Amino acid sequence: MKRARRPSPQIPSAPLGRALLMLAVSAPLGGAALPVAAQAIEYRSVAASTLLREQPAPDAEALFRLRPGTPVEIVVREDGWMRVRDPAGGFGWVEGGALVTRRTVIVTAERAIVRRAAQETAAPAFEATRNVVLELLEPASEGWARVRHVEGFEGYVHASEVWGL
C-alpha cells in the first residue's frame, strides 16, 4: 500500500510566510511595520507664498517656493511643522501656520475641460490648463469634482485631470 505524501511542515506557503515574516519584523516595533488598512489622506492648501524647506526649521535650506493656493498632502506633523508632498511628488517641510484647511486642486492634464454637469457629455463651463489651481467645492463623486476658478467660473472636472483629491 502506498502512503500519501504530506507537504513538508517546515516550508510555509508564500502568503503565510510573508505574514509570519511581517509579524516577526513588526513585533519589536510594536506593530509599526504592519500595513494600515484604511488611512485617510489629508490635504491642505498653501495660504500665502511660502518656502518648502529641507528640514523642519526656519533656518533650514529652502528647496523652493510654493504659490498661494497650491494643494499639498500632509505626510507627518512635528512640532508645528508639516512634512508635505507637493503636486510634483516632492517632499519638504512647511510651518503649519502656512497652510489652511480650504481645499484646492491643481490641474495635471495639459488641458482640462470643466463641465456644467458631472457627465462627459455635459456642455463645457470653461477650460483650465496645467498647473491652474481650482478651489474644491465638493469632493469627487463618481469620478467628478465640483470646482471654482479664481474668476468665479464653476463646474465639474474629471478627477483624473487634477491632483489633490
Side-chain angles (χ1 to χ4, degrees):
M1 173 182 247
K2 282 189 169 179
R3 290 204 290 187
R5 193 166 198 190
R6 292 187 297 177
S8 171
Q10 298 97 327
I11 304 172
S13 66
L16 178 59
R18 281 192 292 274
L20 291 172
L21 178 61
M22 282 298 289
L23 186 59
V25 168
S26 67
L29 302 173
L34 291 175
V36 176
Q39 184 176 352
I41 297 174
E42 183 181 359
Y43 290 97
R44 296 273 178 98
S45 300
V46 175
S49 181
T50 191
L51 292 173
L52 188 69
R53 298 193 176 273
E54 179 73 29
Q55 300 295 324
D59 57 345
E61 179 184 350
L63 301 173
F64 58 89
R65 186 171 295 280
L66 293 168
R67 297 180 312 169
T70 302
V72 293
E73 176 189 351
I74 296 174
V75 179
V76 174
R77 297 169 191 266
E78 183 178 304
D79 298 327
W81 286 82
M82 297 190 188
R83 181 167 167 84
V84 298
R85 182 168 65 110
D86 65 40
F91 290 90
W93 293 88
V94 296
E95 291 185 84
L99 304 178
V100 292
T101 56
R102 183 178 133 248
R103 292 286 309 277
T104 58
V105 293
I106 192 165
V107 176
T108 56
E110 196 62 41
R111 191 180 97 204
I113 298 174
V114 181
R115 303 199 176 268
R116 294 180 190 255
Q119 303 171 13
E120 198 67 45
T121 57
F126 65 95
E127 289 184 14
T129 57
R130 185 183 309 274
N131 295 324
V132 168
V133 172
L134 303 169
E135 182 180 359
L136 181 65
L137 300 176
E138 293 175 19
S141 174
E142 297 183 22
W144 295 88
R146 187 167 166 239
V147 295
R148 178 186 302 135
H149 189 274
V150 69
E151 293 178 3
F153 303 113
E154 292 184 20
Y156 294 84
V157 66
H158 202 274
S160 65
E161 297 179 320
V162 294
W163 185 87
L165 293 173

